[in-house]
Amino acid sequence: MVAGIGSCLPSRCVTNAELERTMDTSDAWIRARTGIAQRYVADDGTRTSDLAVGAAERALKSARLTPDAIDAVIVATTTPDRPCPATAPTVAARLGAGPITAFDVAAVCSGFLYGLATASGLIASGAAERVLVIGAETFSRILNPEDRSTSVIFGDGAGAVVLRAGEADETGALGPLRLGSDGTGVDLITVPAGGPPRPGETAPADSADRYFTMEGKRVFWLAVQRMGECAASVLDRAGWQLEDVDWLVSHQANHRITARLADEIGIPRQRSVGNIAEVGNTAAASIPLALDHAHAQGTIRPGDRILLTAFGGGLTWGAAALTWPAIDPV
Ligand code: ACO
């Protein structure tokens, strides 16, 4: 059961016009090829855990829970605070949640759905009753400023939900969930080595390998194919017909991908909810951010049937059925 939701964006908004001034690109190209108008970028002092804590606090507030009611924190991220240890224990400690279960999930843009599945498993096994699942990224840190094909796409942010034990027929129930991977595509979306230099540090000789790279065209079609297949399989398992789906909320990778995906699944494009124009592609934070914004705007309402799907590095993908709960926007 989803019991609460919240999100957090850094304060600095970077418009396409600002990018035009620093790299060989244009507002027209970015809007037409990706659907993005702006994205948010963390300042040097802001870490992934800061955004994760901000989103988690709002999710707890919307669930009307205090941090001590949480049994586990899962942070899905591609950009942890440090290569080691995981970011989730820092988040749990900063929330004041006590000595609880806390770990990260690494599945790039599919990370939030992998986190939801893991949280469901913790709840089903009796290991936890209430779990915070957070997707959080400071993706701007791993972008190569020389690579205009990735630098214009990604943004920073975090989204979180509180998942609690409940009944399958309750409003807010998480339905069937499917995940998949194909490691033969490891090179298509990758940071090949090390990690980017710290702010203020001189870039090492092999710096290009320390940044995120993506074979955009191949990823485009694989994303449509894998999310389409996975979403169809979840619909089948849930016993939902296409007309039963009120909203498709897919990973906000690119507006052309979300449009093609809706066509592929057979859902009218106007029933695909997204916020890529405002926040860009926020990787693991993308789905909870899109859900939180759609909820705050009153687009998705209690009882609505939502189909979630994501695709990312690994390659990884996933889909889930969700009935939207009656929760307060924060
Ligand atoms: N501004 C202007 N021109 C650009 C830019 C830019 N920012 N970036 C690339 N171009 C140019 C290219 O150099 C190329 O020029 P050329 O024809 O002279 O060689 C032209 O635009 C077309 O480039 P393509 O790469 O073919 O552009 P495409 O239409 O495929 O768009 C994009 C690129 C946006 C990356 C697209 O392929 C895409 O969205 N792919 C999928 C991304 C995705 O789904 N990611 C999800 C997973 S990500 C994750 O897991 C972290």
Side-chain angles (χ1 to χ4, degrees):
M1 273 279 309
V2 170
I5 188 157
S7 66
C8 177
L9 290 167
S11 54
R12 195 164 109 73
C13 176
V14 176
T15 61
N16 294 346
E18 185 173 341
L19 291 180
E20 274 181 344
R21 292 196 287 276
T22 54
M23 67 179 75
D24 180 16
T25 190
S26 67
D27 176 50
W29 191 95
I30 301 170
R31 281 178 197 265
R33 306 307 286 174
T34 71
I36 299 167
Q38 59 178 44
R39 72 287 293 141
Y40 290 82
V41 175
D43 59 33
D44 285 353
T46 302
R47 291 175 165 218
T48 292
S49 58
D50 296 312
L51 302 176
V53 167
E57 284 174 342
R58 289 182 186 122
L60 285 170
K61 196 169 169 205
S62 99
R64 301 179 186 192
L65 291 173
T66 50
D68 57 351
I70 295 298
D71 305 308
V73 172
I74 299 174
V75 174
T77 187
T78 320
T79 48
D81 284 2
R82 308 171 185 211
C84 172
T87 300
T90 303
V91 173
R94 284 193 44 203
L95 288 170
I100 58 169
T101 306
F103 57 96
D104 290 3
V105 163
V108 197
C109 300
S110 314
F112 182 74
L113 291 184
Y114 270 71
L116 271 188
T118 311
S120 287
L122 287 175
I123 291 169
S125 72
E129 249 183 65
R130 296 181 202 87
V131 184
L132 258 171
V133 185
I134 309 167
E137 301 281 9
T138 44
F139 217 90
S140 58
R141 297 273 152 71
I142 58 170
L143 295 175
N144 185 345
E146 312 272 306
D147 181 0
R148 64 179 178 167
S149 70
T150 53
S151 285
V152 303
I153 295 178
F154 293 92
D156 301 336
V161 300
V162 176
L163 204 68
R164 70 159 171 83
E167 302 303 321
D169 57 358
E170 272 184 88
T171 309
L174 183 64
L177 197 150
R178 298 212 71 162
L179 303 171
S181 79
D182 175 9
T184 65
V186 63
D187 291 326
L188 297 179
I189 300 172
T190 180
V191 177
R198 290 198 212 199
E201 241 175 32
T202 314
D206 63 345
S207 61
D209 274 353
R210 292 167 179 263
Y211 289 112
F212 177 83
T213 64
M214 176 170 70
E215 281 193 42
K217 261 202 174 15
R218 285 183 65 196
V219 168
F220 189 108
W221 293 111
L222 283 166
V224 173
Q225 182 201 338
R226 292 302 194 181
M227 285 194 281
E229 288 166 359
C230 202
S233 143
V234 160
L235 279 181
D236 193 44
R237 282 200 178 190
W240 290 0
Q241 304 303 311
L242 285 173
E243 51 277 16
D244 296 332
V245 178
D246 294 297
W247 302 109
L248 169 66
V249 181
S250 58
H251 168 49
Q252 299 294 290
N254 177 319
H255 80 130
R256 291 183 298 139
I257 291 182
T258 47
R260 291 276 184 154
L261 176 66
D263 297 349
E264 183 84 6
I265 301 172
I267 289 176
R269 290 182 180 189
Q270 61 272 21
R271 296 219 309 264
S272 171
V273 178
N275 58 354
I276 192 164
E278 293 84 38
V279 301
N281 179 340
T282 57
S286 163
I287 285 187
L289 259 172
L291 284 172
D292 190 48
H293 288 181
H295 174 235
Q297 287 158 4
T299 310
I300 54 175
R301 293 163 182 277
D304 281 356
R305 290 178 165 195
I306 300 174
L307 182 60
L308 305 174
T309 185
F311 178 88
L315 303 170
T316 55
W317 55 86
L322 172 69
T323 312
W324 194 250
I327 45 176
D328 301 328
V330 177

